[in-house]
Amino acid sequence: MSVRLVSAPINIVFSKVDADKEAYLREYQYLSESEDDSINQWLKLARAKGETNDTDPVLLNLIVELHKKIDALERFLKNEEPKKLSLMYEIPIESIGFEHFKLSQDILEEGVEYYGRVEMPVRPRRDVCIFFTAIDKSLAKITKIHERENREWAAYLTARERVLIREARESKE
């Protein structure tokens, strides 16, 4: 099997999906839906109605992000931070593709399903929850990821490709 991957300096925490599948599915839903908070719902509705047409998009995004930071600070002060499940392994990802990734160590069991969280180096920093199946001891295929997070994954992959192309050009000069 030929899979196109590019190097990516990110980490993943994960565990086998076994008896805890329901708990993993709940966390997957909860963490993925946490981006659909009231301010995002309001913004989507305002954009759909065309109420943001005369607004500077950069300024609007800045205000929305500030609102989210204040909400996050409020949750932290009230000790309402989302409780994340404890996962068994934490390991660097060596490289990623659109539907695959390769770990830096051979610790997967071929054919076994896993659940994990990848801390994406995007703003704002957040975890992308995924389910994946091991193809071999280090290569995995993503089997379940939310659509919005899939777009972020693809955007990160594209950005990494651009960086590597730039570095390759600079080394030739």
Side-chain angles (χ1 to χ4, degrees), residues 77-172:
L77 292 173
K78 291 180 179 179
N79 200 21
E80 295 175 351
E81 284 298 303
K83 303 288 186 242
K84 294 179 183 172
L85 296 172
S86 178
L87 300 175
M88 185 176 265
Y89 305 100
E90 182 170 0
I91 188 168
I93 290 178
E94 180 180 293
S95 52
I96 64 172
F98 286 106
E99 296 178 337
H100 297 84
F101 62 90
K102 185 171 183 63
L103 299 177
S104 62
Q105 297 173 24
D106 294 341
I107 63 170
L108 300 176
E109 295 176 36
E110 188 174 334
V112 173
E113 185 182 16
Y114 295 88
Y115 168 74
R117 294 186 303 263
V118 179
E119 186 177 325
M120 295 298 289
V122 295
R123 279 275 163 222
R125 247 187 173 12
R126 63 191 209 82
D127 289 338
V128 169
C129 300
I130 59 173
F131 284 88
F132 59 95
T133 302
I135 294 174
D136 63 27
K137 292 182 183 278
S138 63
L139 184 64
K141 179 175 178 28
I142 298 170
T143 56
K144 186 174 178 84
I145 183 170
H146 276 277
E147 183 180 330
R148 178 186 59 253
E149 293 171 338
N150 193 27
R151 286 192 303 265
E152 285 181 7
W153 181 273
Y156 178 67
L157 170 66
T158 304
R160 288 296 305 152
E161 286 179 320
R162 283 192 206 115
V163 166
L164 295 172
I165 290 168
R166 247 183 268 124
E167 287 174 356
R169 280 187 195 153
E170 289 171 2
S171 68
K172 288 182 181 180

